[in-house]
Structures are given as C-alpha cells and as structure tokens.
Amino acid sequence: MLLALRGKAAVLVAALAVLCVQGCGSSQSEEEEGPAPAPSAAPYWGNRGYALPDSPFTREDTVVTATCGMGARYAGVSVQAWDPEGWELRETRNFFIPVDAAFTDYPDAKNVHSPLVDLCGVSSESPSPYAVDDLEYVTPRVRALFDLAYRRMAVVLRDADGEATHAGYVESGGNADDFVRLGDGQGDDEQNAVMAPDGRSVWFTYITPDGERRIGSRSTEGDHRLSDEGPAIGHDLPLTVTGKPPRAVQATMVHLAPDGRRLTATAPKIYGHVFRTRDSSGPLTAASGRSAVLLSGCVGIVGWVADERVLCRTQSGSFRLVDARTGRAGRNGVAVVREDDGRVAEGMVVSADGAKFIVSVHSPNDRSGQPLGLGDFRVMPTSGEGVAVPVSADSLTSDTVFLEWR
C-alpha cells in the first residue's frame, strides 16, 4: 500500500495557481512587432473562452489551496476554496491518489517528473524532481495539475515494474480505484502530466521509441489516442497548458498576463522573463529570448499585478513591482521579514485586483517545516504601504500550497 510520508496530515487540503502558454514555430518571426490583434481574432487569448460552472472554486475573490495528506493505507490531495476576508472555508474537494501513481520518488523505481511529487513527496531524503523548489516555482507547477474548475487532477502512473510511466487523471470525490489510465503502451515514457483548462485532455512530455523528445496529449474521452503537440526538451522542465484551443509551454514560473498577450517564464540558457504568447506548443527557445524582457533583480516571479507589471522576489529577499515592458523595478519594495529574522519569505499568489499577495515564511531550505506544523502565511500589500495580515485558518499546514486568488 501507500507510504506514510514525512508524517503529513491525514487531512487533505487544496489547490491553485495561474495557467499560461507559449509555443514555438509560428510562421511569424519572434522579432516582428505586428499590431496587437483584436480579442475576437486572436488565435490564442488566454482562458477567456471557457465557460466555467458556478461553484465556490470559480467565483471571484476566492483563494484556492492544495495540501497532500498521507495515511497508512491511503494518500490524497485536498483542494479548498477560501474566503480571503475571514478565512472561512467555502468548499473542499478531495482527490484520492491511486496506488500506482507517482507521488514520491524512491529507490529501485524510476524517478518521475511530476508536480504531484512536488506537492506530496518532497523531503530531505527525496528532493523535488525539478532543479528548483522555491515556492515561486512550485506554485504554478502544482496549479497545472488541475483544470480551471478543479474537477480533475492529472497523475503519472507507474507500471508494476517501476519503469514504464503513463499519463492519467482522477476525478474529485472518487475513491482510490476511481482513476483513468490514458496510456497503456508497454514502453511508454510519459511524465509531467497536467490538465488542459477544460479538463478534456491530459498533456505530458514523452520520449518516442526513437528517443525523440515530444509534448503529447490524450483526450479524457474516447479511445485516449496519443496526439503529438510539438517538440520538448525532455522531462526536466514542467508543462503549463492554457488557452482555447489549449497550447502548452515547457518552462518554469509560467504566469499568464491578465490580457492574455504575454506570459512570464524561465528556462535554462534562455534570456529573459516576459515572452509573448504563441499559438503553438513547445519549450522556450533562443528565438523566444531575443524578444523577451528581463525583469531587473528578479529571482522569483509571484505573478502579474496588472497587464504591464509583475511582482518579483528580489535578490535581497524583498518583493518589488517590475515594469513588464522595460524590466525596470519600482522604488518601493515590500520587506516581509527583517534581515536578522533568520527566515525567508517566498511568494505564491497575487490577488486578481493586484493589490495583495500571499507569502510563506519559513526557515531557509525548509519550506515544509515540522510535520503537522501550522504554516506562517501572510497577506501583504503589493504597494509596500500597509501592514501584513496573518492567514488565520488553522487547517493550513506548513505543507499547504496556495494556488490561486481569483
């Protein structure tokens, strides 16, 4: 059965973050600056084209969190919708994790790149499958596991031999046996499984029998046949899928601008932080970098405050608004902890109106803290004016990841 990992709470808790997309290989050069298309004519316009069912998870001014819970005989993810004023719980959705899902990497089994491992299986003995596990990196990765309405969660399933891996998904409210294995090839090597915005397909990176690195998708309906979506650079970088029709970008810290025209992202050896969205799927490329904007002093991207401004964590550990067009940082910084505090602050989500953001304060290189411990989460003003407000919900543990502030 499943491992009891790091003494995590048997209670399940919640999920959120911002989705984004950027592709490669458009017929238009990256360096060309054509006129901005009208929303109705744009081939890619964020997630505005999706009609979402009314629920506490889709209403305005809602904060969504995710927590992974472990017991002796089960594992699961709890996604919760919160009122950010009084931190009253509006609704909870539970996602049981199948026994053969990759939610932690362990000896004698193939290491799997999956945001679910980021959420559930990271410890001092089992680090993140990705190179960086700062919360500015983790939050968008974990958010991408879910559709826009938080009804389905993507998973990577391991075969009994511990080698072959397949994309799949689970429905909220089911039990440990309620999951769908989308791929079943004996030699499948599918990782980084994430949901499309509408929940109708799961996207992933895969390696062909010839060793070619690709991005693929499988429909959650019908025969689940593999659809090739474009080039990849292997499994080392996560995917984020957004737009209608959906497109994927393989990069880290992906956040879509409110107007859908640009996104933040980073990738090794690619210069810049702000890129134009594209109408095809793929990784960031050197061509993408030629027209990208570098955000001055930015080591962690928290999210967009407006169409032209991004909130960053700086090299000094404070937070600062940066102009997305010029890359220049504003004068007013937001210091969350004192220099002599001994702890660090990492950002997770920005409110939809751009006025506030949520940070986690913890010891350096230990974002989870003590097992079952309460997290030190604070709501901060992005302007630098005003005071921090503690997040007062007792059920939010040090392992909770804030995913979205609608």
Side-chain angles (χ1 to χ4, degrees), residues 86-406:
W87 291 103
E88 295 179 358
L89 181 62
R90 291 173 172 169
E91 187 173 320
T92 297
R93 290 181 182 168
N94 294 324
F95 296 84
F96 280 93
I97 299 175
V99 172
D100 53 352
F103 63 93
T104 184
D105 287 331
Y106 53 88
D108 303 321
K110 180 178 183 177
N111 280 358
V112 171
H113 286 78
S114 167
L116 192 61
V117 177
D118 249 339
L119 180 63
C120 295
V122 174
S123 67
S124 57
E125 293 79 23
S126 179
S128 169
Y130 304 102
V132 183
D133 64 355
D134 293 347
L135 285 171
E136 292 90 358
Y137 287 72
V138 170
T139 292
R141 293 198 296 243
V142 176
R143 176 62 184 93
L145 289 170
F146 305 91
D147 63 294
L148 292 177
Y150 296 96
R151 295 169 298 188
R152 289 174 171 172
M153 181 180 74
V155 295
V156 177
L157 301 163
R158 284 191 186 101
D159 278 356
D161 61 8
E163 292 297 326
T165 52
H166 317 276
Y169 71 94
V170 297
E171 300 270 3
S172 66
N175 58 49
D177 297 323
D178 292 333
F179 67 93
V180 178
R181 181 186 300 265
L182 298 174
D184 58 4
Q186 185 174 4
D188 281 355
D189 186 1
E190 301 175 352
Q191 300 189 37
N192 291 307
V194 293
M195 293 300 306
D198 59 4
R200 294 184 177 181
S201 59
V202 174
W203 293 55
F204 48 88
T205 56
Y206 72 103
I207 311 297
T208 71
D210 296 330
E212 190 176 1
R213 303 167 182 178
R214 307 292 296 177
I215 296 172
S217 70
R218 294 184 186 274
S219 172
T220 56
E221 303 171 357
D223 60 8
H224 314 312
R225 181 174 56 188
L226 172 66
S227 294
D228 183 81
E229 302 292 351
I233 55 175
H235 295 316
D236 290 344
L237 289 179
L239 292 178
T240 303
V241 183
T242 190
K244 187 177 184 180
R247 296 289 183 263
V249 60
Q250 188 177 19
T252 63
M253 291 195 293
V254 178
H255 296 280
L256 187 68
D259 64 7
R261 297 176 187 271
R262 288 174 297 175
L263 56 83
T264 62
T266 63
K269 301 181 181 179
I270 304 300
Y271 184 83
H273 294 104
V274 180
F275 302 80
R276 289 195 300 273
T277 53
R278 303 294 298 274
D279 60 354
S280 60
S281 297
L284 298 179
T285 65
S288 305
R290 286 199 295 269
S291 60
V293 176
L294 181 71
L295 302 177
S296 176
C298 183
V299 297
I301 300 170
V302 186
W304 292 82
V305 171
D307 288 332
E308 306 297 345
R309 291 190 298 170
V310 175
L311 181 68
C312 284
R313 177 166 56 89
T314 67
Q315 294 168 335
S316 66
S318 64
F319 295 84
R320 196 173 297 272
L321 296 177
V322 185
D323 192 308
R325 298 163 298 182
T326 66
R328 291 194 294 268
R331 294 182 178 180
N332 294 332
V334 181
V336 179
V337 295
R338 301 187 310 271
E339 292 185 4
D340 60 352
D341 185 278
R343 295 178 296 170
V344 298
E346 293 177 345
M348 286 184 281
V349 294
V350 177
S351 62
D353 63 6
K356 303 173 184 177
F357 68 107
I358 295 177
V359 298
S360 172
V361 178
H362 57 84
S363 299
N365 303 314
D366 183 17
R367 64 179 172 88
S368 294
Q370 294 297 319
L372 306 182
L374 296 179
D376 184 350
F377 304 115
R378 307 175 190 180
V379 178
M380 306 293 301
T382 57
S383 65
E385 301 176 356
V387 298
V389 178
V391 175
S392 58
D394 291 341
S395 62
L396 298 179
T397 72
S398 53
D399 295 309
T400 298
V401 176
F402 286 71
L403 298 180
E404 189 173 7
W405 191 337
R406 292 184 181 268

